[in-house]
Amino acid sequence: MSKYQVGDIVTVSVTGIEKYGIFVGLDEYYSGLIHISEISDGFVRNINDYVNLGETIKAKILEIDEEELHIKLSIKNMNYRITKRKRTKIEETELGFSTLGDRLDGWISEKLAEIEENL
């Protein structure tokens, strides 16, 4: 028996985006697909307008294939975005970007020398 049930809302990670749908990972065993028809009630022109690769979202389980360990999911008619924590402001150090500026000329020289060697 699966730890997942039809109708469950689960947290998934977007592992692939194709023209026909979104591939997701649920855990180390189960993967799934959100077919393009299960993204929105409206016309979906570009799936990348809805999710990003690597993003964590919520989805509803529609069907489970125990033999293949594959799940069909939907994000239609639900708030699938997971709100992220507020970002904390990064305090700039006294040196700021000066350390990058100090090393930049050396890095450029090294790269130019490497390019000349490969010609």
Side-chain angles (χ1 to χ4, degrees):
M1 183 168 168
S2 171
K3 67 180 181 178
Y4 301 110
Q5 301 296 320
V6 172
D8 286 354
I9 304 295
V10 292
T11 300
V12 298
S13 178
V14 177
T15 59
I17 299 173
E18 295 292 335
K19 291 181 181 181
Y20 53 86
I22 305 164
F23 287 96
V24 297
L26 284 83
D27 59 27
E28 62 273 10
Y29 302 108
Y30 285 89
S31 63
L33 175 69
I34 302 169
H35 189 267
I36 192 168
S37 64
E38 291 298 332
I39 294 174
S40 173
D41 280 328
F43 179 73
V44 177
R45 182 176 310 276
N46 184 350
I47 294 175
N48 291 292
D49 292 340
Y50 294 85
V51 295
N52 298 306
L53 195 59
E55 182 177 10
T56 301
I57 61 173
K58 291 187 263 182
K60 182 177 182 178
I61 296 178
L62 300 177
E63 189 177 316
I64 301 171
D65 182 341
E66 288 293 340
E67 287 184 25
E68 298 291 326
L69 300 178
H70 189 80
I71 297 178
K72 293 180 182 176
L73 303 115
S74 176
I75 59 173
K76 191 188 296 188
N77 299 323
M78 65 179 286
N79 183 10
Y80 60 91
R81 296 267 188 216
I82 294 178
T83 55
K84 296 183 180 182
R85 294 184 206 167
K86 283 187 174 181
R87 294 183 182 183
T88 57
K89 184 176 178 182
I90 297 173
E91 297 293 327
E92 186 175 343
T93 64
E94 291 178 15
L95 297 175
F97 289 105
S98 64
T99 53
L100 292 174
D102 294 343
R103 303 228 22 227
L104 185 60
D105 289 335
W107 291 333
I108 291 172
S109 298
E110 288 173 15
K111 195 55 155 175
L112 288 173
E114 180 183 322
I115 291 169
E116 287 178 9
E117 282 180 20
N118 293 327
L119 292 179

